[in-house]
Amino acid sequence: MLSKEIDLAKTNGEGVLLEKDVSNGGARKRIESMSSKERLLVIKQNIQSLKKVSVTDLSVQCGVTEETIRRDLDKLEQEGVVTRIHGGAIWNADSQKEGIHFYRRLTKHLKEKQIIARKSAVVLEGKYTIIADSSTTVAEALKVLPDNHDITIVTNSTEVFREFQQSSLNIISTGGEFNKKSLSLQGQLTKTNIAKYNVEIALIGCKSLSLEKGVQDSNEGEAEIKKLMLAQAEEVALLVDHSKFDQTAFVSLVDLNRVDYIITDCRPGDAWVNFCHEHGIKLIY
């Protein structure tokens, strides 16, 4: 018989939890283990759900030392999933990951997107045929268009249909398979239908742009659709907030020399200003 009940759990650095359970008057040792991969998944699920977590709470939940949790959080921060704070971490709301729901993406840099939308009005003036992708920034920009029945928008964004259901604008759907997360239409039917239309200007968003690597996106399927849209347009307007400059994403979308306008919320660095001037790109900020 134990003289007293031991209720403290001992752990090792590899994530093995040693617990003392009291059952029928005796002590029983229970060992639980969680792989590093499983532990990282649990941590990500907690942070995404709660938005903010502490090292201590994660240590208890995962049954590992606080030092192990700190290393896990450091790894997730390097991946861009979380931001480390004193005693824990918060969900990285600016992480550019696939599958983020449209309305969640819409709230990211919303003020900047609205600034870009207002600045795009000068480019859209006098344009009557427009092709628009399903990005949140482009959705904001379309709101500045005059309520004119002579204007036609071709788009794969289902959010545009909802936004302009009472408008006089002519909205043409590309058709395709519905993606519930991005509120967009995708697939072969989308690609086939895009090729039917010739437009004056394409409004395109992206995940990042680089002087060396050009315009990039994170989703290959979306990038293919955007490339087809660019091919059908006389001019291309790229709508990007300041956070997208000098970044790298997974898929190459188009060279910068195919872009006629870059519309952003504030002045980018001198390198961008000089590049746009030298390559005939109209930089609007």
Side-chain angles (χ1 to χ4, degrees):
M1 298 287 293
L2 292 177
S3 59
K4 61 180 180 178
E5 181 179 316
I6 301 175
D7 58 6
L8 294 178
K10 296 181 179 180
T11 62
N12 63 21
E14 299 302 320
V16 177
L17 172 65
L18 304 177
E19 290 185 345
K20 293 296 183 75
D21 288 342
V22 176
S23 178
N24 297 324
R28 178 169 58 87
K29 179 185 292 184
R30 181 166 60 89
I31 300 177
E32 294 181 355
S33 63
M34 183 183 293
S35 70
S36 175
K37 184 177 180 181
E38 291 171 334
R39 191 171 64 247
L40 287 171
L41 178 60
V42 168
I43 292 172
K44 284 194 284 188
Q45 289 173 335
N46 271 270
I47 296 177
Q48 187 172 9
S49 174
L50 302 173
K51 309 306 178 189
K52 180 179 179 181
V53 293
S54 73
V55 169
T56 301
D57 289 343
L58 290 174
S59 173
V60 172
Q61 181 173 359
C62 296
V64 296
T65 63
E66 292 188 1
E67 182 59 33
T68 298
I69 294 297
R70 291 189 187 96
R71 289 197 297 268
D72 289 340
L73 292 177
D74 288 342
K75 183 181 297 183
L76 292 176
E77 184 174 50
Q78 292 174 0
E79 295 175 2
V81 177
V82 305
T83 298
R84 294 281 277 114
I85 60 174
H86 180 70
I90 58 175
W91 181 251
N92 186 2
D94 293 325
S95 61
Q96 297 173 354
K97 302 292 182 181
E98 290 185 35
I100 297 178
H101 193 281
F102 179 92
Y103 293 117
R104 290 181 58 196
R105 289 188 289 117
L106 182 60
T107 61
K108 309 298 187 296
H109 300 293
L110 178 57
K111 181 179 178 181
E112 290 85 348
K113 291 173 182 178
Q114 292 171 339
I115 291 172
I116 292 169
R118 291 194 295 270
K119 293 182 180 298
S120 68
V122 65
V123 173
L124 294 175
E125 186 176 358
K127 301 293 193 303
Y128 294 97
T129 53
I130 301 165
I131 196 162
D133 72 8
S134 59
S135 66
T136 55
T137 308
V138 168
E140 284 297 309
L142 293 176
K143 296 177 184 179
V144 307
L145 288 169
D147 192 20
N148 188 336
H149 62 81
D150 290 329
I151 297 176
T152 298
I153 301 170
V154 180
T155 185
N156 70 321
S157 169
T158 61
E159 175 63 11
V160 171
F161 309 148
R162 186 197 66 79
E163 181 67 33
F164 293 99
Q165 58 184 318
Q166 302 298 326
S167 169
S168 298
L169 298 172
N170 298 307
I171 310 296
I172 297 178
S173 169
T174 61
E177 301 170 14
F178 180 48
N179 185 313
K180 295 180 181 179
K181 289 185 176 181
S182 62
L183 299 186
S184 66
L185 300 171
Q186 303 174 356
Q188 188 55 51
L189 180 60
T190 305
K191 298 175 185 178
T192 300
N193 286 337
I194 286 173
K196 297 178 181 178
Y197 302 102
N198 298 304
V199 300
E200 294 171 277
I201 192 166
L203 299 182
I204 302 294
C206 69
K207 293 299 180 184
S208 64
L209 65 162
S210 161
L211 289 173
E212 295 77 23
K213 298 181 179 180
V215 186
Q216 301 148 73
D217 220 331
S218 65
N219 184 291
E220 190 168 8
E222 289 282 357
E224 289 179 0
I225 290 171
K226 292 180 182 183
K227 288 178 182 178
L228 291 171
M229 289 181 169
L230 298 175
Q232 301 305 116
E234 295 175 11
E235 293 184 317
V236 173
L238 187 65
L239 280 54
V240 286
D241 67 67
H242 65 275
S243 69
K244 307 293 180 63
F245 286 83
D246 299 312
Q247 302 296 319
T248 300
F250 183 60
V251 182
S252 293
L253 179 57
V254 66
D255 291 335
L256 285 167
N257 59 18
R258 179 64 182 93
V259 177
D260 299 285
Y261 306 92
I262 294 178
I263 308 173
T264 187
D265 57 294
C266 60
R267 186 184 189 277
D270 289 342
W272 280 98
V273 174
N274 294 334
F275 179 90
C276 290
H277 177 72
E278 293 169 2
H279 292 79
I281 300 171
K282 188 169 184 179
L283 180 61
I284 301 174
Y285 55 87

